[in-house]
Amino acid sequence: ALIITSIALFLVRKIDGIKNDKTITYKDGFIIGLFQAIALLPGISRSGSTIVGGLFRNIKKEEAVKFSFMLYLPISVGSFILGINDFISTQNLNNYIISYILGFIFSIISTYFATKWFINIIKKKKLIYFSIYCLIVGIFVIIFM
């Protein structure tokens, strides 16, 4: 599935649409949401699929990336809310609390830097790098599974 994401990104890598955040329509949002739903398939990159959807709808690359990250917020908040019960019901929570806190902090830090790095790639019009990354990871999965 990552190889499919890689191919899709490769195919749209040179598209740089004309729509910005002020001209994105409800139809664009709906279609990009459908592309996000494709990411329910294991291995399909959520951000990759939504960026492909945005470029497919003729949205500028930077705007497609922003839209993709905005679509992530409800997913992130929803999974956090759904996970609270599991967290609270963990036996011996005191034994794991430091690990949970450290994991949370490091996930915020790594997400920040990964997002910054990814936005830089898009600004430099080097979407091909994300395509190559997905291809390499997809090949490794096939070889080592």
Side-chain angles (χ1 to χ4, degrees):
L2 278 169
I3 294 172
I4 292 169
T5 300
S6 173
I7 292 167
L9 288 167
F10 182 80
L11 293 174
V12 298
R13 75 189 184 287
K14 293 196 179 204
I15 296 174
D16 196 9
I18 57 171
K19 293 181 183 179
N20 60 26
D21 61 342
K22 303 223 185 291
T23 57
I24 295 173
T25 65
Y26 289 115
K27 183 177 180 181
D28 295 328
F30 179 76
I31 291 172
I32 294 168
L34 292 176
F35 274 83
Q36 179 168 270
I38 293 169
L40 290 171
L41 297 170
I44 297 286
S45 166
R46 189 209 57 81
S47 60
S49 65
T50 54
I51 290 169
V52 167
L55 295 175
F56 174 73
R57 294 298 302 162
N58 206 24
I59 296 172
K60 291 181 179 181
K61 279 185 180 151
E62 285 118 21
E63 298 299 327
V65 171
K66 287 180 196 174
F67 200 89
S68 175
F69 283 108
M70 291 301 290
L71 286 175
Y72 175 69
L73 291 176
I75 293 169
S76 179
V77 171
S79 65
F80 175 77
I81 290 169
L82 291 173
I84 289 175
N85 190 35
D86 291 338
F87 178 74
I88 292 171
S89 65
T90 300
Q91 293 180 357
N92 301 323
L93 181 60
N94 291 335
N95 296 340
Y96 302 109
I97 194 75
I98 298 296
S99 298
Y100 284 132
I101 291 170
L102 288 175
F104 179 74
I105 290 169
F106 285 113
S107 71
I108 290 172
I109 292 168
S110 62
T111 299
Y112 172 78
F113 286 110
T115 303
K116 235 176 135 65
W117 173 73
F118 189 66
I119 289 172
N120 259 349
I121 286 174
I122 298 300
K123 282 182 180 177
K124 293 177 181 177
K125 312 239 187 276
K126 301 291 184 182
L127 192 57
I128 188 75
Y129 293 156
F130 190 42
S131 175
I132 293 169
Y133 163 77
C134 288
L135 178 66
I136 291 169
V137 173
I139 290 170
F140 271 107
V141 168
I142 289 171
I143 291 171
F144 294 110
M145 292 305 260

